[in-house]
Amino acid sequence: MRGDAATTTARFAAARRVVVKIGSALLVDGKTGAIKGSWLATLIDDLVELKARGADVIVVSSGAIALGRRALGMPKGRLRLEQSQAAAAVGQIALAHAWSEALRTRELVAAQVLVTRTDTEDRHRYLNARATLSTLLGQGAVPVINENDTVATSEIRFGDNDRLAARVASMMSADCLVLLSDINGLYTAPPGRKGAELVCEVCEITPAIEAMAGNPVSGVGSGGMVTKLEAAKIAVGAGCHMVIASGHELHPLRRIAQGARCTWFLAPASALDSRQRWIAGTLQPTGRLVVDEGAADALGRGKSLLPAGVRRVEGTFARGDTVSIVTGRGREIARGLVTYDAADAARIAGLRSADLEQAVGFRGRDELVHRDDMVLLGGNGHGRQG
Ligand code: GLU
């Protein structure tokens, strides 16, 4: 049976580059507000084991806000954006120190990397971040990444480290993303409820799978299952398997290596190249092109998107921005880099190639999105329970 312990062991053993995301609740003691040092020590043992078998390891660690709010004496409950930014400024120092000290005991060097969403959405900065991380890995250091919460205002922030970790996994061509969580995976119904079963394997994120993640409103924010599914879409779209596993116990990665029960989101075998991964993983396409059925079929057969097949243009975008290509029913079927800005795209929507020049006043490309700049979105199978 797939989804058994041996399959989990084999999958994890095959991973050559692993991104591990650790949530605040696992790392910071809710009562004392201190780092859970003994738990962290066992995680470091696990990272050492991974590195010893030749895998590259990248850590994405939360905890800055949780540590900093305590140090500043902030009240319990939800913080305002500026409060959490202030808390992160204080807590990030303690967080980086804890990682650095814990890794040092095993003769590993920690490298702090703080990023905002724009560092991964802007192609130039993305390539720069990737080069830095590659250099660090080449030097044997362990990058410990967090969002740069102190400067990341709402427009430019990830807001949760699940998607940040997925974006890092995609950027670094990782083959396995581990989200250590307070729960060991995705359940068919709220865990604890009668009949709720762990989903061991997800090959396609269907509406049924999304429904299991629960209400998008209550699930939004850091740590919910909804952001984990969003992360899975990014990771799987980049050819990286993702696993949600429990981080509550000691040695959480060794437990996966030994076949712990968890949920795997499986990437299709056909991997995208790195540029395609960047396009597919864009978190906020700036516009949408609503296409007719004929165009949707043509894209499925590997064709470019021509203006004739576009019914409507939505959003504000410049030439070269990433846009979503959606059906009339709003289903996103592809993403790509657009060759006209929003105003010109609206002018040529529905027109045949021969009429484009007259509409925009210059001789531009025949395609609105060229197939080389486009990634089709879609899965490869169905969810499996067990
Ligand atoms: N970046 C935040 C922190 O370090 C955590 C975000 C999250 O938990 O997803 O406190």
mmCIF file of all heavy atoms in Angstrom, residues 24 61 72 81 93 105-106 113 122 139 164 171 198 210 223 235 238 254 265 274 281 283 286 309 327 333:
data_model
loop_
_atom_site.group_PDB
_atom_site.id
_atom_site.type_symbol
_atom_site.label_atom_id
_atom_site.label_comp_id
_atom_site.label_asym_id
_atom_site.label_seq_id
_atom_site.Cartn_x
_atom_site.Cartn_y
_atom_site.Cartn_z
ATOM 1 N N SER A 24 6.545 28.532 14.926
ATOM 2 C CA SER A 24 6.837 29.140 16.241
ATOM 3 C C SER A 24 6.425 28.237 17.390
ATOM 4 O O SER A 24 7.147 28.115 18.386
ATOM 5 C CB SER A 24 6.086 30.459 16.399
ATOM 6 O OG SER A 24 6.301 31.298 15.320
ATOM 7 N N SER A 61 12.836 29.149 9.660
ATOM 8 C CA SER A 61 12.411 29.139 11.065
ATOM 9 C C SER A 61 11.565 30.355 11.424
ATOM 10 O O SER A 61 11.957 31.493 11.219
ATOM 11 C CB SER A 61 13.638 29.111 11.976
ATOM 12 O OG SER A 61 13.231 29.205 13.327
ATOM 13 N N LEU A 72 9.346 42.221 24.957
ATOM 14 C CA LEU A 72 8.851 43.601 25.032
ATOM 15 C C LEU A 72 7.646 43.732 25.957
ATOM 16 O O LEU A 72 7.094 44.820 26.121
ATOM 17 C CB LEU A 72 8.478 44.093 23.622
ATOM 18 C CG LEU A 72 9.653 44.352 22.676
ATOM 19 C CD1 LEU A 72 9.149 44.638 21.265
ATOM 20 C CD2 LEU A 72 10.497 45.519 23.172
ATOM 21 N N LEU A 81 0.030 45.139 13.028
ATOM 22 C CA LEU A 81 1.189 44.919 12.159
ATOM 23 C C LEU A 81 2.450 45.567 12.734
ATOM 24 O O LEU A 81 3.509 44.945 12.825
ATOM 25 C CB LEU A 81 0.902 45.435 10.745
ATOM 26 C CG LEU A 81 2.056 45.299 9.748
ATOM 27 C CD1 LEU A 81 2.444 43.833 9.522
ATOM 28 C CD2 LEU A 81 1.720 45.943 8.410
ATOM 29 N N ILE A 93 16.838 38.527 16.808
ATOM 30 C CA ILE A 93 18.206 38.419 17.348
ATOM 31 C C ILE A 93 18.314 37.142 18.179
ATOM 32 O O ILE A 93 19.240 36.344 18.022
ATOM 33 C CB ILE A 93 18.556 39.652 18.221
ATOM 34 C CG1 ILE A 93 18.518 40.934 17.375
ATOM 35 C CG2 ILE A 93 19.933 39.483 18.870
ATOM 36 C CD1 ILE A 93 18.763 42.209 18.173
ATOM 37 N N THR A 105 27.205 23.629 18.274
ATOM 38 C CA THR A 105 27.544 22.467 19.107
ATOM 39 C C THR A 105 27.825 21.238 18.243
ATOM 40 O O THR A 105 28.444 20.294 18.692
ATOM 41 C CB THR A 105 26.402 22.111 20.091
ATOM 42 O OG1 THR A 105 25.248 21.800 19.315
ATOM 43 C CG2 THR A 105 26.082 23.237 21.052
ATOM 44 N N ARG A 106 27.307 21.237 17.012
ATOM 45 C CA ARG A 106 27.584 20.114 16.105
ATOM 46 C C ARG A 106 28.511 20.552 14.956
ATOM 47 O O ARG A 106 28.482 20.001 13.877
ATOM 48 C CB ARG A 106 26.257 19.563 15.534
ATOM 49 C CG ARG A 106 25.260 19.102 16.591
ATOM 50 C CD ARG A 106 25.798 18.001 17.496
ATOM 51 N NE ARG A 106 26.342 16.883 16.759
ATOM 52 C CZ ARG A 106 25.644 15.806 16.386
ATOM 53 N NH1 ARG A 106 24.375 15.701 16.737
ATOM 54 N NH2 ARG A 106 26.201 14.861 15.681
ATOM 55 N N VAL A 113 19.325 34.464 6.896
ATOM 56 C CA VAL A 113 18.866 35.071 5.639
ATOM 57 C C VAL A 113 17.438 35.565 5.868
ATOM 58 O O VAL A 113 16.546 34.783 6.176
ATOM 59 C CB VAL A 113 18.883 34.047 4.477
ATOM 60 C CG1 VAL A 113 18.437 34.703 3.174
ATOM 61 C CG2 VAL A 113 20.275 33.440 4.299
ATOM 62 N N ASP A 122 10.626 39.545 -7.706
ATOM 63 C CA ASP A 122 11.407 40.296 -8.684
ATOM 64 C C ASP A 122 12.519 39.377 -9.196
ATOM 65 O O ASP A 122 13.311 38.850 -8.411
ATOM 66 C CB ASP A 122 11.993 41.538 -7.978
ATOM 67 C CG ASP A 122 12.921 42.324 -8.880
ATOM 68 O OD1 ASP A 122 14.122 41.992 -8.948
ATOM 69 O OD2 ASP A 122 12.431 43.258 -9.513
ATOM 70 N N GLN A 139 29.469 26.233 0.759
ATOM 71 C CA GLN A 139 30.440 26.392 1.850
ATOM 72 C C GLN A 139 30.097 25.501 3.040
ATOM 73 O O GLN A 139 30.755 25.561 4.079
ATOM 74 C CB GLN A 139 30.445 27.851 2.333
ATOM 75 C CG GLN A 139 30.914 28.852 1.301
ATOM 76 C CD GLN A 139 32.412 28.796 1.075
ATOM 77 O OE1 GLN A 139 33.189 28.553 1.976
ATOM 78 N NE2 GLN A 139 32.831 28.965 -0.165
ATOM 79 N N LEU A 164 6.498 30.959 2.323
ATOM 80 C CA LEU A 164 7.896 31.396 2.186
ATOM 81 C C LEU A 164 8.803 30.169 1.981
ATOM 82 O O LEU A 164 9.663 30.148 1.088
ATOM 83 C CB LEU A 164 8.325 32.173 3.437
ATOM 84 C CG LEU A 164 9.833 32.438 3.590
ATOM 85 C CD1 LEU A 164 10.370 33.299 2.468
ATOM 86 C CD2 LEU A 164 10.133 33.115 4.927
ATOM 87 N N MET A 171 12.807 27.995 -5.377
ATOM 88 C CA MET A 171 13.947 28.804 -5.824
ATOM 89 C C MET A 171 15.234 27.971 -5.832
ATOM 90 O O MET A 171 16.069 28.111 -6.715
ATOM 91 C CB MET A 171 14.089 29.997 -4.870
ATOM 92 C CG MET A 171 15.282 30.866 -5.079
ATOM 93 S SD MET A 171 15.030 32.470 -4.281
ATOM 94 C CE MET A 171 15.412 32.093 -2.595
ATOM 95 N N LEU A 198 -6.330 10.272 8.233
ATOM 96 C CA LEU A 198 -5.161 10.972 7.701
ATOM 97 C C LEU A 198 -5.068 10.689 6.202
ATOM 98 O O LEU A 198 -5.219 9.553 5.760
ATOM 99 C CB LEU A 198 -3.892 10.456 8.400
ATOM 100 C CG LEU A 198 -2.585 11.116 7.949
ATOM 101 C CD1 LEU A 198 -2.482 12.538 8.481
ATOM 102 C CD2 LEU A 198 -1.388 10.297 8.410
ATOM 103 N N GLU A 210 -9.070 20.723 -0.908
ATOM 104 C CA GLU A 210 -9.110 22.076 -0.334
ATOM 105 C C GLU A 210 -10.169 22.160 0.762
ATOM 106 O O GLU A 210 -9.976 22.820 1.774
ATOM 107 C CB GLU A 210 -9.393 23.119 -1.419
ATOM 108 C CG GLU A 210 -8.354 23.059 -2.525
ATOM 109 C CD GLU A 210 -7.942 24.416 -3.037
ATOM 110 O OE1 GLU A 210 -7.705 25.303 -2.214
ATOM 111 O OE2 GLU A 210 -7.850 24.569 -4.267
ATOM 112 N N GLY A 223 0.397 29.296 9.946
ATOM 113 C CA GLY A 223 0.249 27.971 10.529
ATOM 114 C C GLY A 223 -0.982 27.181 10.157
ATOM 115 O O GLY A 223 -1.032 25.985 10.413
ATOM 116 N N ALA A 235 5.194 24.250 -4.117
ATOM 117 C CA ALA A 235 6.274 23.251 -4.091
ATOM 118 C C ALA A 235 6.081 22.219 -5.202
ATOM 119 O O ALA A 235 6.984 21.972 -6.011
ATOM 120 C CB ALA A 235 6.314 22.564 -2.723
ATOM 121 N N ALA A 238 6.741 23.215 -8.574
ATOM 122 C CA ALA A 238 8.172 23.369 -8.857
ATOM 123 C C ALA A 238 8.877 22.019 -8.897
ATOM 124 O O ALA A 238 10.102 21.961 -8.921
ATOM 125 C CB ALA A 238 8.800 24.252 -7.790
ATOM 126 N N ARG A 254 14.121 12.435 11.955
ATOM 127 C CA ARG A 254 14.473 11.014 12.035
ATOM 128 C C ARG A 254 13.194 10.175 12.014
ATOM 129 O O ARG A 254 13.134 9.100 11.433
ATOM 130 C CB ARG A 254 15.263 10.759 13.318
ATOM 131 C CG ARG A 254 15.884 9.380 13.361
ATOM 132 C CD ARG A 254 16.550 9.122 14.687
ATOM 133 N NE ARG A 254 17.778 9.878 14.885
ATOM 134 C CZ ARG A 254 18.389 9.981 16.082
ATOM 135 N NH1 ARG A 254 17.871 9.398 17.152
ATOM 136 N NH2 ARG A 254 19.504 10.662 16.196
ATOM 137 N N PHE A 265 2.562 15.432 -0.366
ATOM 138 C CA PHE A 265 2.030 16.044 -1.586
ATOM 139 C C PHE A 265 3.068 15.757 -2.658
ATOM 140 O O PHE A 265 4.217 16.206 -2.548
ATOM 141 C CB PHE A 265 1.856 17.554 -1.407
ATOM 142 C CG PHE A 265 0.771 17.884 -0.418
ATOM 143 C CD1 PHE A 265 1.012 17.863 0.939
ATOM 144 C CD2 PHE A 265 -0.507 18.215 -0.855
ATOM 145 C CE1 PHE A 265 0.018 18.154 1.854
ATOM 146 C CE2 PHE A 265 -1.511 18.512 0.055
ATOM 147 C CZ PHE A 265 -1.249 18.479 1.409
ATOM 148 N N SER A 274 14.022 26.129 -14.244
ATOM 149 C CA SER A 274 14.008 27.070 -13.125
ATOM 150 C C SER A 274 13.218 28.339 -13.457
ATOM 151 O O SER A 274 12.576 28.917 -12.594
ATOM 152 C CB SER A 274 15.429 27.404 -12.716
ATOM 153 O OG SER A 274 16.035 28.163 -13.717
ATOM 154 N N GLY A 281 5.473 29.902 -9.553
ATOM 155 C CA GLY A 281 5.422 30.145 -8.114
ATOM 156 C C GLY A 281 5.147 31.580 -7.734
ATOM 157 O O GLY A 281 5.121 31.911 -6.557
ATOM 158 N N LEU A 283 3.540 34.611 -6.344
ATOM 159 C CA LEU A 283 2.461 34.567 -5.352
ATOM 160 C C LEU A 283 1.283 35.440 -5.740
ATOM 161 O O LEU A 283 0.150 35.119 -5.460
ATOM 162 C CB LEU A 283 2.991 34.986 -3.991
ATOM 163 C CG LEU A 283 3.899 33.932 -3.364
ATOM 164 C CD1 LEU A 283 4.554 34.470 -2.125
ATOM 165 C CD2 LEU A 283 3.109 32.685 -3.042
ATOM 166 N N THR A 286 -0.208 39.934 -11.239
ATOM 167 C CA THR A 286 -0.793 41.270 -11.155
ATOM 168 C C THR A 286 -2.048 41.420 -12.009
ATOM 169 O O THR A 286 -2.772 42.382 -11.874
ATOM 170 C CB THR A 286 0.245 42.330 -11.566
ATOM 171 O OG1 THR A 286 0.956 41.820 -12.695
ATOM 172 C CG2 THR A 286 1.220 42.597 -10.460
ATOM 173 N N GLY A 309 -8.176 34.801 -28.523
ATOM 174 C CA GLY A 309 -8.843 33.905 -27.570
ATOM 175 C C GLY A 309 -9.120 34.540 -26.224
ATOM 176 O O GLY A 309 -9.614 33.882 -25.305
ATOM 177 N N THR A 327 -10.163 30.483 -17.110
ATOM 178 C CA THR A 327 -11.319 30.200 -17.958
ATOM 179 C C THR A 327 -12.454 31.152 -17.576
ATOM 180 O O THR A 327 -12.369 31.848 -16.562
ATOM 181 C CB THR A 327 -11.811 28.760 -17.744
ATOM 182 O OG1 THR A 327 -12.253 28.669 -16.385
ATOM 183 C CG2 THR A 327 -10.711 27.745 -18.002
ATOM 184 N N ILE A 333 -5.734 28.228 -15.385
ATOM 185 C CA ILE A 333 -5.164 27.101 -16.129
ATOM 186 C C ILE A 333 -3.682 27.297 -16.442
ATOM 187 O O ILE A 333 -2.985 26.338 -16.733
ATOM 188 C CB ILE A 333 -5.939 26.833 -17.445
ATOM 189 C CG1 ILE A 333 -6.094 28.120 -18.259
ATOM 190 C CG2 ILE A 333 -7.294 26.209 -17.159
ATOM 191 C CD1 ILE A 333 -6.703 27.882 -19.633
#
